[in-house]
Structure formats: structure tokens, C-alpha cells
Amino acid sequence: GMETESNGKKKCVLIIRILGAIVGLTLIGYGVAMLFVGSAQNIRGYIANVYLICFGVLIILAEIRFSRMLHHFKFLTTGIGLGGFYMFVGFMALSSDWWCYIILAVCAAVGTAYCAAGCMCNDIIESEKPSGDAVA
């Protein structure tokens, strides 16, 4: 019936959210590690890593629906907007290191899942009321 289908979609979106949060944490960890032990000896590499850390934080804020922040990043409240952002960040993480392809693959997978979810159950993604208003 309609109820179980809706629950299935909710479960699906929740799984994508959890994977997304893991991606966010991974990006932050990777960015921080690269700042300290990175192969990036140039300023461009440092800036790219700082961006990855910021994007990782932004992804986590998007996944926990932190409204005060998302107010400024409206595109992160839709499935397709989030999906596109994951793809963008995945390609940004690319460098000469082999593990960057793993980050890209995971970002692309989560991004594709969000784009698909955005097409099939965007009502659920957008209806999830952003939290975090109480947090100053």
C-alpha cells in the first residue's frame, strides 16, 4: 500500500543521508590529513584541502538539515542540488593519489543516489523540516 511505499522511500533517504554524513566526515579527515602530511607542497594544494574541509562541513550540515546554514545554501535542500554538490566535491578531491578515486567513486555514488531520490522522492527530502533552529 501507500504507507509501506512511503516508509520504504523514507528508509532509502535515511540510508543516503547516513552515507552522505560519512562522506562529509571522510572529506574533513582527508582535508585535515593532507594539510599536515599532504603531498601538496604548493599553495594551490593547501587551498584545495581547505575547500574540501569546508565542503565536508557543509555536507554534514546539509545531512543533519541545519536550517540556519541551509538558509544560505538553498540548493542543498533538494535531492538534485545535493546530488550535484556531491559530484562537484568528488571531482574536486581528485589529485594524483590513488585513494582520491575512491573518494570520487563514493561521492559520485551518493550524488547519483541523491539525484535519483530527487526525482523519485524529493517530497520526502524537502519535507524533512530542517533542524537546528534552537542551536545558536
Side-chain angles (χ1 to χ4, degrees), residues 34-69:
M34 287 294 106
L35 282 180
F36 292 109
V37 300
S39 43
Q41 298 304 321
N42 55 7
I43 192 77
R44 195 176 159 276
Y46 280 111
I47 293 169
N49 289 322
V50 169
Y51 268 119
L52 283 181
I53 294 167
C54 294
F55 289 155
V57 169
L58 201 55
I59 282 173
I60 289 173
L61 291 173
E63 295 302 1
I64 61 172
R65 315 308 275 162
F66 188 74
S67 62
R68 197 157 290 171
M69 191 70 183

Side-chain angles (χ1 to χ4, degrees), residues 15-123:
I15 290 168
I16 301 171
R17 285 218 182 291
I18 292 167
L19 286 174
I22 292 169
V23 168
L25 289 169
T26 305
L27 287 170
I28 294 168
Y30 172 75
V32 169
M34 287 294 106
L35 282 180
F36 292 109
V37 300
S39 43
Q41 298 304 321
N42 55 7
I43 192 77
R44 195 176 159 276
Y46 280 111
I47 293 169
N49 289 322
V50 169
Y51 268 119
L52 283 181
I53 294 167
C54 294
F55 289 155
V57 169
L58 201 55
I59 282 173
I60 289 173
L61 291 173
E63 295 302 1
I64 61 172
R65 315 308 275 162
F66 188 74
S67 62
R68 197 157 290 171
M69 191 70 183
L70 292 181
H71 177 72
H72 304 288
F73 298 96
K74 283 272 192 282
F75 68 94
L76 292 178
T77 61
T78 67
I80 291 180
L82 255 171
F85 187 64
Y86 274 103
M87 301 281 197
F88 167 74
V89 171
F91 280 104
M92 243 206 79
L94 271 185
S95 73
S96 55
D97 301 307
W98 61 269
W99 62 81
C100 293
Y101 292 100
I102 298 170
I103 294 176
L104 171 61
V106 175
C107 281
V110 175
T112 305
Y114 260 120
C115 288
C119 296
M120 291 183 293
C121 41
N122 208 34
D123 49 330

